[in-house]
Amino acid sequence: MEIFLIKALQFLLAISLLVLLHEGGHFFFAKLFGVRVEKFYLFFDPSIWKWNGSIFKWKPKKSDTTYGVGWLPLGGYCKIAGMIDESMDTEQMKQPEQPWEFRAKPAWQRLLIMVGGVLVNFLLALFIYSMVLFTWGDSYIPLKNMSMGMKFNQEAKALGFQDHDILVGTDLGEFKTFDGDMYRDLCDAHRCDIIRNGKAMSIDMPGEMNLLDLVKKQPPFVSPFVPAVIDSVPQEPKSPAVAIGLQKDDKILAINDQPIDSWTAFNSAISRLNDELTDAKTPADSLRMRTISLVYQKKGRATADTVSTTLTSDLKLGIIQRGILAYYEPVTDEYGFFESFPAGIKYGCDILSGYINDLQYLFSAEGAKSLGGFGTIGGLFPATWDWHLFWMMTAFLSIILAFMNILPIPALDGGHVLFLLYEIIFRRKPSEKFMIWAEYIGIGILLLLMIVANLNDILRWLHIM
């Protein structure tokens, strides 16, 4: 419960900051051009019975703007007078046009008002990345320093890779570390450079490989080779590992007669058990499938022990896996204050470029399944409060929020920008009726995406997907 609260608090703080500044971007340009802002809210405030939905609201004297906090934490809004937006206030649009309304302003001013939120979120992300690099530097494990090499699945081995190969780079460039950029290069490359048994070699690659196929399969196409050595065994609550007597530095050797040489192999075996568990018809079937034969080796012993144990309902053994940082020392690139800005801008642009590149997979069946809602996003935050990771996640969400909002979907900023560009090019506005229906359609699309993303979260939680 404590971990859930820490993650939820970080998520809520990050989203609140990003929404406030996003809406603040719209607010700034609206005020700059003399447009009246009627409401400025963090979170939405739909009315419930006789309650207006506001947790807090305040309207300063001689101000046209009501500031407040709503009860529904799904975003926020800046209600700009004379504009068709998610408030669907069509009554105001039937009144005579006023000089302080959005619709009365030149198209270029309205365009700046609409892109204000996206602009703030993008610049905020670049600023956060710059300050993170200035404060903590950029720590990573160079891929070429991973002396134990990689663990490959059968598809990778069919191309010529072998376990313990050290990845160096491709015809697209040298690898920096094990991350999404490495996977993207492997997808597009026609040659991969490796070191095998101390000798430099190259492997021909097909190019145009599917990123989702490489990443989502169990085992994945490639992962760092990390021996299946136990880091620790929590004593509470009592787990199968505690009952067996597993301890720190013990090594897992096999599950159900399947050899285990790494945590990648261990996790793959558990994943297969999870797939089989979906066929369980009765609790007895589930119990039988969760009962495994486990071979392990105690620290300092030459012989192995074999035991039968039953995994928990969510297929946990009750151990903490020893991670890659136990074997390799990270290197840290340090940045001075002024050096951090170009480095932060490059870092942020690389993140955005990778995200845009990966969007192509969204329109596939597997891509749709990979969509995540609030649970997935909240789960990305660390289980303990870590300011470095918090700010990295906040910057990432800020870039995603900027990009998603600029998509040409009605009800998003990008939809309004699209209609404004139409007006600038063709010298006439879309009809009010068209704008209203476009807003309804846009809201429908967003609600559908939200439902699918959060339904995926629920299905994952129930181990159905």
Side-chain angles (χ1 to χ4, degrees):
M1 185 63 180
E2 180 183 354
I3 291 176
F4 170 79
L5 290 175
I6 292 173
K7 286 176 174 279
L9 187 59
Q10 291 179 87
F11 173 63
L12 194 62
L13 178 59
I15 289 298
S16 299
L17 176 65
L18 297 181
V19 168
L20 275 174
L21 291 175
H22 177 91
E23 300 304 332
H26 295 307
F27 184 90
F28 170 79
F29 283 106
K31 289 294 188 181
L32 180 66
F33 300 129
V35 177
R36 183 173 295 177
V37 177
E38 297 175 349
K39 295 179 76 173
F40 185 89
Y41 261 64
L42 172 64
F43 306 150
F44 295 120
D45 61 333
S47 300
I48 301 178
W49 195 36
K50 296 181 179 179
W51 181 42
N52 63 18
S54 298
I55 295 174
F56 160 83
K57 68 176 183 177
W58 172 63
K59 186 174 183 179
K61 291 181 180 179
K62 299 180 181 180
S63 174
D64 300 312
T65 308
T66 299
Y67 302 88
V69 178
W71 66 270
L72 188 61
L74 298 180
Y77 67 100
C78 178
K79 189 176 184 306
I80 297 172
M83 173 183 170
I84 297 173
D85 59 10
E86 62 270 19
S87 68
M88 301 308 293
D89 186 3
T90 56
E91 289 302 314
Q92 185 184 62
M93 303 302 290
K94 295 176 182 177
Q95 305 302 317
E97 185 178 288
Q98 301 297 326
W100 37 260
E101 288 185 326
F102 177 82
R103 55 181 167 167
K105 300 300 178 180
W108 69 270
Q109 292 186 4
R110 285 180 279 136
L111 184 63
L112 284 173
I113 292 171
M114 292 318 305
V115 300
V118 168
L119 182 63
V120 166
N121 278 135
F122 184 64
L123 293 178
L124 174 67
L126 300 183
F127 177 75
I128 291 175
Y129 281 133
S130 299
M131 291 300 95
V132 166
L133 292 176
F134 170 64
T135 306
W136 289 282
D138 182 17
S139 294
Y140 60 96
I141 300 170
L143 207 54
K144 61 185 179 182
N145 290 358
M146 295 185 185
S147 55
M148 289 186 291
M150 299 287 126
K151 177 75 175 176
F152 298 91
N153 67 10
Q154 291 306 313
E155 287 81 1
K157 289 177 180 177
L159 292 173
F161 291 100
Q162 294 181 12
D163 288 342
H164 302 291
D165 285 349
I166 300 172
L167 296 179
V168 177
T170 68
D171 52 311
L172 302 175
E174 185 176 337
F175 292 135
K176 180 179 179 181
T177 188
F178 189 89
D179 59 7
D181 288 337
M182 180 212 73
Y183 260 110
R184 293 183 193 100
D185 280 358
L186 285 174
C187 286
D188 298 332
H190 291 89
R191 186 194 80 239
C192 183
D193 301 322
I194 64 168
I195 295 175
R196 179 181 296 167
N197 299 324
K199 294 178 62 177
M201 299 178 58
S202 292
I203 292 175
D204 291 333
M205 299 289 288
E208 298 182 359
M209 299 175 72
N210 186 292
L211 181 64
L212 283 182
D213 286 343
L214 267 64
V215 175
K216 292 183 71 67
K217 283 188 177 178
Q218 276 294 343
F221 185 87
V222 58
S223 55
F225 191 98
V226 181
V229 177
I230 296 171
D231 185 74
S232 60
V233 180
Q235 297 302 300
E236 295 292 340
K238 191 170 183 181
S239 64
V242 172
I244 295 169
L246 292 176
Q247 296 178 337
K248 177 183 174 68
D249 296 327
D250 291 350
K251 188 175 184 179
I252 308 296
L253 298 179
I255 293 177
N256 290 342
D257 298 324
Q258 177 187 339
I260 301 295
D261 63 351
S262 63
W263 286 123
T264 298
F266 177 88
N267 294 332
S268 177
I270 296 299
S271 178
R272 278 193 290 273
L273 281 175
N274 187 56
D275 292 341
E276 294 170 6
L277 203 58
T278 59
D279 296 329
K281 299 290 191 291
T282 65
D285 288 340
S286 173
L287 183 65
R288 175 176 53 80
M289 292 177 179
R290 289 188 288 112
T291 302
I292 63 169
S293 170
L294 182 73
V295 181
Y296 67 96
Q297 185 177 36
K298 301 292 290 183
K299 179 186 178 183
R301 285 190 194 172
T303 58
D305 296 308
T306 303
V307 296
S308 177
T309 187
T310 301
L311 302 176
T312 62
S313 58
D314 56 351
L315 298 181
K316 300 295 185 187
L317 182 58
I319 57 176
I320 305 296
Q321 301 179 7
R322 179 164 295 169
I324 195 169
L325 289 175
Y327 300 95
Y328 304 114
E329 188 73 27
V331 301
T332 301
D333 294 336
E334 305 274 356
Y335 295 91
F337 182 75
F338 293 106
E339 292 175 314
S340 68
F341 287 99
I345 291 170
K346 182 180 183 304
Y347 193 101
C349 290
D350 287 345
I351 292 289
L352 178 61
S353 174
Y355 181 77
I356 293 173
N357 179 75
D358 297 346
L359 274 183
Q360 61 183 298
Y361 301 105
L362 182 61
F363 303 101
S364 64
E366 279 301 312
K369 289 180 183 178
S370 68
L371 275 175
F374 298 115
T376 296
I377 298 172
L380 296 175
F381 286 91
T384 56
W385 198 284
D386 183 316
W387 282 111
H388 175 248
L389 293 178
F390 170 81
W391 287 117
M392 289 294 286
M393 271 306 306
T394 301
F396 176 71
L397 291 178
S398 192
I399 277 187
I400 302 311
L401 184 61
F403 178 77
M404 294 302 292
N405 263 285
I406 205 62
L407 291 176
I409 299 174
L412 292 178
D413 296 342
H416 293 284
V417 168
L418 180 66
F419 299 140
L420 281 166
L421 291 175
Y422 170 88
E423 180 185 342
I424 291 171
I425 294 170
F426 294 101
R427 303 299 180 96
R428 60 189 179 92
K429 296 181 181 180
S431 70
E432 187 177 306
K433 184 177 181 180
F434 171 83
M435 294 290 288
I436 291 171
W437 276 106
E439 198 75 14
Y440 278 128
I441 292 170
I443 290 172
I445 293 172
L446 295 179
L447 286 175
L448 179 62
L449 286 173
M450 190 179 296
I451 290 169
V452 170
N454 286 284
L455 180 60
N456 284 350
D457 282 352
I458 294 171
L459 293 176
R460 290 188 195 103
W461 181 66
L462 295 173
H463 302 290
I464 297 174
M465 189 172 74

